[in-house]
Amino acid sequence: MRFVFALLMIGMGASLVQAEVQTKEVTYQDGDVTLEGFVAWDPAAISEPVPGILVVHQWMGQTNYERGRCKQLAELGYVAFALDIYGKGNRPANPQEAAKVSGTFKNNSALYRKRLNLGLQQLLAQKGVDENQIAAIGYCFGGKGVLELARSGADVDGVVSFHGALDSPSPEDGKNIKAKVLICHGADDPFVPEADIDAMKKEFNEANVDWQMIYYSGAVHSFTQPMAGNDNSRGAAYNAKADQRSWVAMKAFFAELFD
């Protein structure tokens, strides 16, 4: 009996190990440009296909921040893939470089949307992903990115923009949006003009987009990112309460999409 019990304990231990979130880097191409994504999943959760979540990085490129979010999403039972817009090894060293690199894509929506959709293709190719249950989330530069992904006509169920740019550069593209939209926005964000918000709302309403927007009091830009510091006067700062509340809102949004 002791031997049998020991075998059972070993088996339980193996199961516990298998239940841990696993990760890997994924290299893919856009022509001659090599891109490097990151995927996280819980092997115990994907015995049957589960929803896949695309994660779009902020303007410093894909970092440990996005990878951490992928792991959190995997703990919730999803397969999460952090794409790479900039290219392998192309990581800005400071905000000035980040503004230049991100601006290249903001000013070239065709290239931006191409890289977003290439990332989506990689997510769909991952083991355990239910191709009929897909969402995307993005932060700052990536918050705008998920809206651009939706505007490209991508077949995704929903997108969540965290403190992203909310301009409407091509209002006619609103008609391409198939996804439901959740926007989590800092009420005191100085980098997002009210005129942009009004234009976005007009675009979405005229296209009959199913959208919702939540304002977080006392929050400025980058409110989900601890690396932004805590000085609101700089216009970008972490806000723990807004971070937690927006994550809860995202989970409720996903429950609506996938349940």
Side-chain angles (χ1 to χ4, degrees), residues 8-235:
L8 288 172
M9 293 302 293
I10 291 172
M12 288 176 63
S15 297
L16 289 172
V17 170
Q18 291 176 348
E20 294 179 356
V21 168
Q22 296 187 16
T23 66
K24 67 175 180 180
E25 294 179 350
V26 178
T27 300
Y28 57 110
Q29 298 292 133
D30 178 11
D32 295 333
V33 178
T34 299
L35 306 165
E36 187 174 56
F38 177 87
V39 62
W41 73 98
D42 180 350
I46 61 171
S47 57
E48 296 183 357
V50 300
I53 312 297
L54 186 67
V55 179
V56 187
H57 57 74
Q58 33 71 51
W59 71 345
M60 297 301 288
Q62 189 209 112
T63 65
N64 286 334
Y65 176 79
E66 289 76 24
R67 295 183 175 210
R69 291 299 190 184
C70 284
K71 293 173 185 177
Q72 286 181 280
L73 289 162
E75 290 170 355
L76 295 176
Y78 303 118
V79 175
F81 181 81
L83 56 65
D84 177 12
I85 296 291
Y86 295 166
K88 184 176 181 180
N90 185 8
R91 298 294 178 265
N94 53 55
Q96 292 73 31
E97 288 186 15
K100 183 178 180 179
V101 176
S102 64
T104 299
F105 293 91
K106 290 177 181 177
N107 296 324
N108 187 343
S109 61
L111 178 59
Y112 197 6
R113 293 177 183 184
K114 182 183 181 184
R115 294 278 172 90
L116 290 161
N117 277 281
L118 285 172
L120 177 60
Q121 291 173 17
Q122 290 299 314
L123 170 65
L124 292 169
Q126 300 307 309
K127 180 180 178 181
V129 172
D130 182 346
E131 63 181 13
N132 296 310
Q133 292 189 303
I134 301 295
I137 70 172
Y139 299 88
C140 296
F141 169 76
K144 176 179 174 62
V146 297
L147 298 180
E148 288 301 299
L149 178 68
R151 289 176 173 126
S152 76
D155 191 12
V156 297
D157 295 288
V159 300
V160 185
S161 172
F162 295 93
H163 43 79
L166 301 177
D167 57 331
S168 178
S170 49
E172 66 279 4
D173 289 346
K175 67 182 184 299
N176 300 327
I177 297 175
K178 304 172 185 176
K180 295 180 180 180
V181 176
L182 170 62
I183 296 165
C184 298
H185 179 66
D188 297 334
D189 189 331
F191 301 127
V192 180
E194 283 297 322
D196 284 0
I197 296 174
D198 290 342
M200 178 202 66
K201 289 179 179 178
K202 185 174 186 293
E203 173 193 346
F204 288 175
N205 287 336
E206 290 184 352
N208 294 315
V209 174
D210 183 340
W211 66 274
Q212 53 186 301
M213 183 171 179
I214 304 174
Y215 289 80
Y216 298 99
S217 65
V220 292
H221 204 64
S222 303
F223 63 78
T224 69
Q225 299 175 317
M227 62 275 205
N230 57 11
D231 183 0
N232 273 22
S233 69
R234 298 177 58 203

